[in-house]
Amino acid sequence: MERSFPMIDAHVHLEKGPYTREWLQEFIFYAQDRGIRKIYFLEHTHIFRECSKQKSELGNKKSKDKKSQRLSGTQGSN
């Protein structure tokens, strides 16, 4: 079956490997073998210590927002 549009994989995680160029290249080869022309690499930030401060700050903001909503009687979308 001929495709008239490029195949894209927009949700690829690297977390099950060693985060090396060789590990990344395995994903690229896999995509190329299957005709996938674009791939998007994503990772969950909780894996990286560099993101722990931002995660903590975001968690504190969410807690404050929820407390404010309870006090004001409003409901958020989350």
Side-chain angles (χ1 to χ4, degrees):
M1 181 168 118
E2 186 73 24
R3 288 191 172 92
S4 60
F5 55 90
M7 285 183 52
I8 298 171
D9 188 343
H11 196 127
V12 177
H13 291 278
L14 303 173
E15 61 197 23
K16 302 293 184 193
Y19 292 100
T20 62
R21 286 179 193 239
E22 292 79 14
W23 180 245
L24 180 65
Q25 192 65 48
E26 292 296 320
F27 288 87
I28 295 169
F29 290 149
Y30 185 88
Q32 288 173 334
D33 287 346
R34 286 153 183 80
I36 298 172
R37 296 185 51 201
K38 291 184 180 183
I39 53 178
Y40 296 80
F41 294 105
L42 310 168
E43 281 308 335
H44 298 284
T45 56
H46 70 273
I47 295 172
F48 303 100
R49 72 175 170 265
E50 294 86 354
C51 298
S52 63
K53 181 180 177 189
Q54 291 85 352
K55 181 181 175 191
S56 176
E57 290 170 357
L58 180 61
N60 290 338
K61 181 182 181 328
K62 284 184 178 181
S63 293
K64 288 178 185 176
D65 289 347
K66 285 183 180 180
K67 182 177 181 182
S68 176
Q69 288 172 359
R70 282 194 307 268
L71 293 175
S72 68
T74 61
Q75 294 290 330
S77 61
N78 292 354

